[in-house]
């Protein structure tokens, strides 16, 4: 654990920019907001779609050993009993004894330790029992954020419950899924039968998950409703070494974040879960952590879950989930490696990593990788009251829109338009001026260097293909 901050950007700056420019808004703001919930504005929606599409291409479409799935948010309630969520999907809850506000005990302790590094002796708080947490709260005399004494810690189940139909007895009770993974396990046999897939193979899905999180406050890092991109990779432990597969998946995750999303390597690290921290069925777990403005935090987890999930579902459903090896006829439950990412955390990472202030030019630049930016290009007519410039600019704009996401701006002066595009991360701005009308060239201005060059319109497509590769 560490509280040094490599990223100079503050969460306040990110939150303000995200709201100002239409990336992320507070949910139901006109009603005073809804706790731990955020909506994605026009630019945030573009980023979410891009992340999901890049993930899907990288992990599903380009591989022969991967299949996609889209299971429901509401599954048979027995699913969550079998998976262990009904019994133990809990967070440690403490209550301010005076005003009854509720907090997560482990997060309060972590916050205290971040402020008191002298106390830190590699204490890992995750998975401590309620009495161990109470012991630490007592030892450090931790109070609520309002300075009041805290109640004893209790386990609070974070699965959201709801009911199907008009009846509200136990029978109609269902849960909003707490992870997308269980839809993959419960469909395992169907996927196997309908695709004749041979081991090893994986199934990936992207979708909403829900957790009744107790406290958050770190913007979209931990919310009630969020999107996950999860993979269950099934294999025969007698044929494939889990260590090799695990390492290979770790490399794939690293490559996706650094090469596809363009994140700086120095802001990423692996953290291995300690034996105490790891779930009892997991033989190995690592978190890929990003250095958010509030410290190193989990972006993406990877766990070796053995055959725990398939075995549980087999037992509870009383249906065989075994795989039959077509060559040897060996019947067995495959083992699983699970890389599980949060799309919203990937988005928050993109915003934090891209944010740059350029004080000399008094500008903020969102230096997204060109391909990731919500708009790849902006097109401006130099003057908005000269029809010939506007007509030509519209023509260039419409042509480019066939292939790229292009912004149009004819407000204010060119300098202001550049600054505005810098703030949303548009890598190239094209200005149509009087010279364009003479020789069909445009000014192309680069976001990061703020340099400009002249380019023939006929060369634009080739130029952009290379720049956006
Ligand atoms: N199936 C395994 C699983 O769900 P997890 O570590 O609980 O593992 C996986 O979740 C990923 O989902 C996390 O690494 C994180 O990126 C994201 N995630 C989990 N809870 C979240 C929340 N409340 N808000 C936003 N993202 C969350």
């Amino acid at each position: 654990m560490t509280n040094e901050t490599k990223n100079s950007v503050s969460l306040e700056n990110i939150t303000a920019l995200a709201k100002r420019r239409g990336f992320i808004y507070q949910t139901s703001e006109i009603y005073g907001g809804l706790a731990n919930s955020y909506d994605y504005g026009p630019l945030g929606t573009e980023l979410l779609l891009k992340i999901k599409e890049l993930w899907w291409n990288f992990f599903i479409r380009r591989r022969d050993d991967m299949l996609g799935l889209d299971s429901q948010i509401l599954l048979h309630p027995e699913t969550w009993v079998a998976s262990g969520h009904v019994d133990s999907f809990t967070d440690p809850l403490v209550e301010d004894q005076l005003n009854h506000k509720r907090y997560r005990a482990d997060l309060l302790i972590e916050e205290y330790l971040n402020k008191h590094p002298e106390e830190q002796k590699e204490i890992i708080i995750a998975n401590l029992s309620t009495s161990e947490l109470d012991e630490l709260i007592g030892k450090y005399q931790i109070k609520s954020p309002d300075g009041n004494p805290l109640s004893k810690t209790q386990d609070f189940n974070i699965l959201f419950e709801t009911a199907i139909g008009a009846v509200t007895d136990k029978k109609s009770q269902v849960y909003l899924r707490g992870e997308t993974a269980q839809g993959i396990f419960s469909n395992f046999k169907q996927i196997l039968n309908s695709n004749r897939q041979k081991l090893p193979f994986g199934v990936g899905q992207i979708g909403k998950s829900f957790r009744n999180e107790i406290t958050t406050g770190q913007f979209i890092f931990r919310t009630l409703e969020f999107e996950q991109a999860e993979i269950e990779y099934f294999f025969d432990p007698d044929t494939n070494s889990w260590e090799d597969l695990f390492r290979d998946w770790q490399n794939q995750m690293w490559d996706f974040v650094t090469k596809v999303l363009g994140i700086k390597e120095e802001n990423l690290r692996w953290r291995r879960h300690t034996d105490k921290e790891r779930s009892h069925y997991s033989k190995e777990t690592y978190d890929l952590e990003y250095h958010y403005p509030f410290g190193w935090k989990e972006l993406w987890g990877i766990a070796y879950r053995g055959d725990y999930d398939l075995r549980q579902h087999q037992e509870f459903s009383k249906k065989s989930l075994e795989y039959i090896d077509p060559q040897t006829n060996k019947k067995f439950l495959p083992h699983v490696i699970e890389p599980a990412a949060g799309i919203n955390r990937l988005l928050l990472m993109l915003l934090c990593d891209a944010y740059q202030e350029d004080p000399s030019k008094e500008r903020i630049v969102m230096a997204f990788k060109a391909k990731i930016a919500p708009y790849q290009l902006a097109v401006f007519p130099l003057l908005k009251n000269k029809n010939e410039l506007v007509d030509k600019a519209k023509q260039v704009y419409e042509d480019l829109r066939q292939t790229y996401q292009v912004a149009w701006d004819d407000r204010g002066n060119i300098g202001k338009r550049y600054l505005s595009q810098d703030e949303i991360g548009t890598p190239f701005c094209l200005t149509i001026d009087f010279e364009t009308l003479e020789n069909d060239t445009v000014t192309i201005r680069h976001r990061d260097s703020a340099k400009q060059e002249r380019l023939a319109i006929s060369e634009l497509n080739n130029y952009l293909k290379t720049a956006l590769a």
Side-chain angles (χ1 to χ4, degrees), residues 179 211 213 221-223 228 230 298-299 338 342 345:
E179 58 175 24
R211 296 183 188 178
E213 303 279 2
F221 180 78
R222 189 177 284 108
T223 47
Q228 288 187 307
E230 296 199 283
E298 175 184 351
L299 169 75
E338 178 193 67
R345 285 191 193 176

Side-chain angles (χ1 to χ4, degrees), residues 199-450:
L199 290 182
F201 74 91
V203 180
Q205 92 163 311
I206 297 179
K208 289 264 171 120
S209 290
F210 300 81
R211 296 183 188 178
N212 199 358
E213 303 279 2
I214 301 165
T215 2
T216 59
Q218 285 160 338
F219 198 29
I220 58 168
F221 180 78
R222 189 177 284 108
T223 47
L224 301 180
E225 179 178 335
F226 55 99
E227 269 183 302
Q228 288 187 307
E230 296 199 283
I231 290 168
E232 306 302 329
Y233 197 75
F234 301 98
F235 63 98
D236 176 354
D238 293 337
T239 320
N240 291 102
S241 130
W242 73 263
E243 289 93 341
D244 288 351
L245 287 177
F246 199 93
R247 251 190 310 277
D248 184 53
W249 277 106
Q250 282 188 293
N251 291 337
Q252 297 286 318
M253 288 158 66
W254 186 269
D255 283 353
F256 180 77
V257 175
T258 56
K259 296 192 183 135
V260 180
L261 299 183
I263 298 301
K264 299 176 197 83
E265 293 205 353
E266 70 261 28
N267 287 329
L268 293 162
R269 73 175 189 193
W270 286 106
R271 189 177 74 75
R272 183 170 188 257
H273 281 210
T274 60
D275 291 345
K276 177 141 187 79
E277 193 182 0
R278 227 174 23 238
S279 316
H280 62 280
Y281 50 78
S282 169
K283 297 193 168 65
E284 186 74 284
T285 303
Y286 272 82
D287 287 343
L288 178 55
E289 295 189 330
Y290 179 73
H291 205 160
Y292 290 100
F294 39 89
W296 288 100
K297 296 278 174 199
E298 175 184 351
L299 169 75
W300 195 332
I302 172 165
Y304 172 30
R305 300 172 71 106
D307 64 3
Y308 172 80
D309 303 272
L310 288 181
R311 188 169 292 286
Q312 287 291 104
H313 287 300
Q314 176 168 273
E315 192 184 319
F316 278 72
S317 67
K318 301 190 177 53
K319 301 267 164 35
S320 165
L321 299 182
E322 283 179 323
Y323 173 83
I324 304 173
D325 189 305
Q327 250 95 51
T328 61
N329 273 339
K330 182 175 91 161
K331 247 178 136 181
F332 62 99
L333 285 174
H335 281 210
V336 161
I337 285 173
E338 178 193 67
I343 297 291
N344 315 78
R345 285 191 193 176
L346 290 169
L347 172 54
L348 182 57
M349 168 186 73
L350 278 175
L351 294 176
C352 297
D353 224 63
Y355 189 97
Q356 288 174 12
E357 279 177 20
D358 181 350
S360 63
K361 298 194 181 68
E362 294 188 339
R363 62 179 194 145
I364 292 170
V365 180
M366 291 301 276
F368 298 118
K369 198 175 162 187
K371 207 172 155 174
I372 309 275
Y375 295 109
Q376 280 92 56
L377 292 159
V379 174
F380 313 147
L382 179 66
L383 301 168
K384 83 172 196 193
N385 51 5
K386 290 274 178 235
N387 285 347
E388 60 273 42
L389 289 180
V390 174
D391 290 349
K392 183 72 184 171
K394 277 273 180 215
Q395 189 192 328
V396 172
Y397 170 66
E398 291 297 343
D399 282 352
L400 289 167
R401 277 175 97 187
Q402 307 301 312
T403 320
Y404 307 104
Q405 282 130 319
V406 192
W408 170 267
D409 196 355
D410 58 9
R411 294 162 304 177
N413 64 38
I414 289 286
K416 283 207 179 112
R417 294 181 207 164
Y418 285 152
L419 291 185
S420 165
Q421 294 300 324
D422 287 343
E423 252 196 19
I424 61 170
T426 310
F428 305 107
C429 293
L430 307 184
T431 303
I432 309 311
D433 54 21
F434 291 105
E435 206 183 322
T436 316
L437 303 178
E438 282 164 25
N439 61 11
D440 255 4
T441 62
V442 292
T443 305
I444 180 163
R445 185 263 194 184
H446 298 256
R447 176 194 68 197
D448 298 343
S449 61

